[in-house]
Short mmCIF file of all heavy atoms in Angstrom, two decimals:
data_model
loop_
_atom_site.label_atom_id
_atom_site.label_comp_id
_atom_site.label_asym_id
_atom_site.label_seq_id
_atom_site.Cartn_x
_atom_site.Cartn_y
_atom_site.Cartn_z
N LYS A 101 189.08 128.33 -63.60
CA LYS A 101 188.09 129.23 -63.03
C LYS A 101 187.07 128.44 -62.20
O LYS A 101 186.55 127.42 -62.63
CB LYS A 101 187.36 130.00 -64.14
CG LYS A 101 188.25 130.98 -64.88
CD LYS A 101 188.72 132.11 -63.97
CE LYS A 101 189.51 133.15 -64.74
NZ LYS A 101 189.95 134.25 -63.87
N LEU A 306 174.28 102.92 -29.39
CA LEU A 306 175.34 103.82 -29.84
C LEU A 306 176.63 103.04 -30.03
O LEU A 306 177.00 102.21 -29.20
CB LEU A 306 175.57 104.96 -28.86
CG LEU A 306 176.59 106.00 -29.33
CD1 LEU A 306 176.07 107.41 -29.10
CD2 LEU A 306 177.91 105.84 -28.59
N LEU A 377 183.65 86.70 -11.90
CA LEU A 377 184.25 85.61 -12.67
C LEU A 377 183.23 84.55 -13.06
O LEU A 377 183.54 83.70 -13.91
CB LEU A 377 185.38 84.96 -11.85
CG LEU A 377 186.57 85.88 -11.52
CD1 LEU A 377 187.64 85.10 -10.77
CD2 LEU A 377 187.15 86.50 -12.78
N ASP A 468 171.79 96.41 -51.32
CA ASP A 468 172.77 97.46 -51.09
C ASP A 468 173.83 97.42 -52.18
O ASP A 468 174.98 97.69 -51.95
CB ASP A 468 173.42 97.30 -49.71
CG ASP A 468 173.97 95.90 -49.50
OD1 ASP A 468 173.81 95.06 -50.40
OD2 ASP A 468 174.56 95.65 -48.44
N ILE A 498 186.39 89.24 -64.91
CA ILE A 498 185.01 89.66 -64.66
C ILE A 498 184.28 89.69 -66.00
O ILE A 498 184.82 90.17 -67.01
CB ILE A 498 184.96 91.05 -63.99
CG1 ILE A 498 185.61 90.99 -62.60
CG2 ILE A 498 183.53 91.55 -63.88
CD1 ILE A 498 185.66 92.33 -61.90
N LYS A 760 198.43 116.40 -38.59
CA LYS A 760 198.84 116.27 -37.19
C LYS A 760 199.65 117.51 -36.85
O LYS A 760 200.56 117.91 -37.59
CB LYS A 760 199.68 115.01 -37.00
CG LYS A 760 199.64 114.44 -35.60
CD LYS A 760 198.23 114.01 -35.25
CE LYS A 760 198.07 112.56 -35.02
NZ LYS A 760 196.69 112.15 -34.82
N TYR A 781 202.70 105.79 -52.21
CA TYR A 781 202.06 105.26 -53.41
C TYR A 781 202.16 106.26 -54.55
O TYR A 781 202.01 107.47 -54.36
CB TYR A 781 200.60 104.94 -53.11
CG TYR A 781 199.85 104.33 -54.26
CD1 TYR A 781 200.13 103.04 -54.69
CD2 TYR A 781 198.86 105.05 -54.92
CE1 TYR A 781 199.45 102.48 -55.74
CE2 TYR A 781 198.16 104.49 -55.97
CZ TYR A 781 198.46 103.20 -56.39
OH TYR A 781 197.78 102.65 -57.43
N GLU A 806 208.82 118.30 -48.42
CA GLU A 806 207.76 117.46 -48.96
C GLU A 806 208.38 116.19 -49.52
O GLU A 806 209.43 116.20 -50.15
CB GLU A 806 207.00 118.21 -50.07
CG GLU A 806 205.88 117.41 -50.69
CD GLU A 806 205.21 118.18 -51.83
OE1 GLU A 806 205.92 118.58 -52.77
OE2 GLU A 806 203.98 118.36 -51.78
N MET A 878 202.00 80.28 -43.89
CA MET A 878 201.87 80.61 -45.31
C MET A 878 202.76 81.76 -45.75
O MET A 878 203.24 81.79 -46.87
CB MET A 878 200.41 80.92 -45.64
CG MET A 878 199.46 79.78 -45.36
SD MET A 878 199.90 78.26 -46.25
CE MET A 878 199.58 78.78 -47.93
N PHE A 884 212.30 89.79 -40.16
CA PHE A 884 212.96 90.72 -39.24
C PHE A 884 213.45 91.95 -40.01
O PHE A 884 214.08 91.83 -41.07
CB PHE A 884 214.16 90.04 -38.57
CG PHE A 884 214.79 90.86 -37.47
CD1 PHE A 884 214.37 90.74 -36.15
CD2 PHE A 884 215.80 91.77 -37.76
CE1 PHE A 884 214.95 91.50 -35.15
CE2 PHE A 884 216.39 92.54 -36.77
CZ PHE A 884 215.95 92.40 -35.46
N LEU A 1023 226.41 79.11 -57.77
CA LEU A 1023 226.97 80.22 -56.99
C LEU A 1023 227.08 81.44 -57.88
O LEU A 1023 227.76 81.39 -58.92
CB LEU A 1023 228.34 79.85 -56.42
CG LEU A 1023 229.13 81.00 -55.78
CD1 LEU A 1023 228.37 81.56 -54.57
CD2 LEU A 1023 230.52 80.53 -55.36
N ASN A 1189 235.22 59.82 -30.57
CA ASN A 1189 235.43 60.37 -31.91
C ASN A 1189 234.21 61.19 -32.36
O ASN A 1189 234.35 62.27 -32.95
CB ASN A 1189 235.70 59.25 -32.91
CG ASN A 1189 237.06 58.63 -32.70
OD1 ASN A 1189 237.97 59.25 -32.14
ND2 ASN A 1189 237.23 57.38 -33.16
N VAL A 1261 234.56 22.60 -63.33
CA VAL A 1261 233.58 22.34 -64.39
C VAL A 1261 234.25 22.36 -65.75
O VAL A 1261 233.98 21.51 -66.63
CB VAL A 1261 232.43 23.36 -64.30
CG1 VAL A 1261 231.50 23.22 -65.50
CG2 VAL A 1261 231.64 23.16 -63.02
N ARG A 1292 242.92 17.83 -106.93
CA ARG A 1292 243.94 18.71 -107.50
C ARG A 1292 244.57 18.08 -108.76
O ARG A 1292 244.81 18.76 -109.76
CB ARG A 1292 245.01 18.98 -106.45
CG ARG A 1292 246.06 20.00 -106.94
CD ARG A 1292 247.09 20.18 -105.86
NE ARG A 1292 246.49 20.76 -104.67
CZ ARG A 1292 247.12 20.85 -103.51
NH1 ARG A 1292 248.36 20.43 -103.40
NH2 ARG A 1292 246.50 21.36 -102.47
#
Side-chain angles (χ1 to χ4, degrees):
K101 293 294 185 179
L306 185 134
L377 297 183
D468 52 358
I498 296 177
K760 206 63 116 186
Y781 182 70
E806 180 183 56
M878 300 303 293
F884 187 91
L1023 171 62
N1189 289 337
V1261 173
R1292 185 181 296 170

